[in-house]
Amino acid sequence: MITAGAPSATMERVRVLRTLALIIAILVGLAAGSALYVTQPVYTAVRNLSTGGVVAPGKLEAHVRMLSVTLAPRDWQSAANLDRVATYIGTHLMKAGGRVSEQPYAVESGRARNVIASFGPQQGPRVVVGAHYDAAGPLPGADDNASGVAGLLELASLLGQTRTLGSRVDLVAFALEEPPYFGTKRMGSLVYAAALKREAAVVRAMISLEMIGYFSDAPNSQRFPHPALGLLYPSTGDFIAVVGRVGQGALVRQVKKAMQRTTYLDVYS
């Protein structure tokens, strides 16, 4: 038996299902869009087409061993060792052909200093590449952050071999980024940034080389600050990551694309 209310009920169910389908589609679209925004995919990069200078793995290893073995520990209480490290870095930056300067500043434990090397034009906008040379406590800090300093020094060697640079590049070795100075006004990076602000310097980009020496092809060797990131990135620590702040997507993609063109190593962002 058919009642007069049946067609109306059927249409109502159809409207509800359509609305539900629309909501699901919107949620899926938002999730997909969020994933794309976070991961900043680059689809046009051709892999490993570098025509520039060749990186020397032996030199990278020598720098890491010097900082994490010979000159360890490098914590805030090891002022003599930190001073030796700063001298070591400055010497190699100078050998690479950089215009080397220092940025000393006072701290409770004595004196700290950032070491700066400039390449390319002396004036105009600049690109800043930095790495901190101290370590946390008595730890050797081979990855955090002797690896970043090694990358900085090898980059200096390559920049020194480059005849013409389109803009000024400043390589900066930062002091005292680990506790108890982390997050304070005595961090080397903040001291440097404050000086840039006082000079009204124009910075096109700042790239921090942080813990770039870790690699593992063991399953589940990569962990993330939040479990949700595991849905977007591999669980094996055999890749390099480019991380930027919200609103820096274009810069992240530019760096990521450049890195993809020079290596077979997977590059995520």
Side-chain angles (χ1 to χ4, degrees):
M1 179 172 151
I2 301 176
T3 65
S8 177
T10 300
M11 292 176 63
E12 183 63 26
R13 285 196 295 271
V14 169
R15 282 196 294 268
V16 170
L17 290 174
R18 286 178 176 174
T19 302
L20 182 60
L22 179 60
I23 292 173
I24 292 174
I26 291 174
L27 290 175
V28 170
L30 289 173
S34 298
L36 290 174
Y37 179 78
V38 170
T39 58
Q40 294 292 331
V42 175
Y43 302 108
T44 58
V46 181
R47 303 300 295 272
N48 202 39
L49 286 181
S50 176
T51 57
V54 179
V55 174
K59 290 170 62 180
L60 291 169
E61 180 179 351
H63 292 317
V64 171
R65 288 188 180 277
M66 175 60 72
L67 269 65
S68 61
V69 179
T70 306
L71 297 178
R74 307 191 314 280
D75 64 306
W76 68 280
Q77 294 177 306
S78 304
N81 273 358
L82 286 179
D83 195 57
R84 294 186 187 100
V85 172
T87 299
Y88 176 85
I89 293 170
T91 299
H92 282 274
L93 291 174
M94 194 171 296
K95 286 182 179 179
R99 302 185 296 273
V100 178
S101 61
E102 293 186 350
Q103 191 175 51
Y105 61 97
V107 293
E108 292 83 349
S109 56
R111 189 193 73 148
R113 51 177 168 150
N114 295 327
V115 185
I116 306 166
S118 298
F119 295 82
Q122 296 196 26
Q123 305 298 326
R126 71 189 75 183
V127 174
V128 177
V129 183
H132 72 90
Y133 63 83
D134 61 321
L139 300 174
D143 184 32
D144 185 8
N145 192 27
S147 66
V149 174
L152 193 77
L153 296 180
E154 184 64 5
L155 177 59
S157 295
L158 297 177
L159 290 175
Q161 299 169 23
T162 305
R163 292 184 177 180
T164 304
L165 291 174
S167 65
R168 173 174 168 172
V169 179
D170 283 358
L171 305 184
V172 190
F174 298 120
L176 302 182
E177 294 286 295
E178 298 287 3
Y181 291 101
F182 175 75
T184 73
K185 294 182 179 180
R186 299 292 87 189
M187 282 200 317
S189 58
L190 196 147
V191 170
Y192 175 75
L196 290 181
K197 186 175 182 179
R198 288 194 299 270
E199 298 168 12
V202 178
V203 179
R204 295 176 56 193
M206 190 280 167
I207 300 173
S208 174
L209 303 179
E210 181 70 27
M211 295 186 289
I212 60 174
Y214 179 82
F215 180 95
S216 175
D217 54 11
N220 301 315
S221 54
Q222 180 64 54
R223 293 176 295 175
F224 300 98
H226 194 283
L229 294 174
L231 301 174
L232 302 176
Y233 301 101
S235 60
T236 301
D238 58 354
F239 61 92
I240 189 73
V242 182
V243 183
R245 300 176 66 182
V246 173
Q248 295 179 332
L251 175 60
V252 168
R253 287 192 297 274
Q254 184 179 6
V255 174
K256 180 178 182 179
K257 184 175 181 179
M259 294 179 73
Q260 286 178 328
R261 289 178 61 88
T262 59
T263 180
Y264 286 120
L265 189 70
D266 287 331
V267 184
Y268 290 86
S269 59

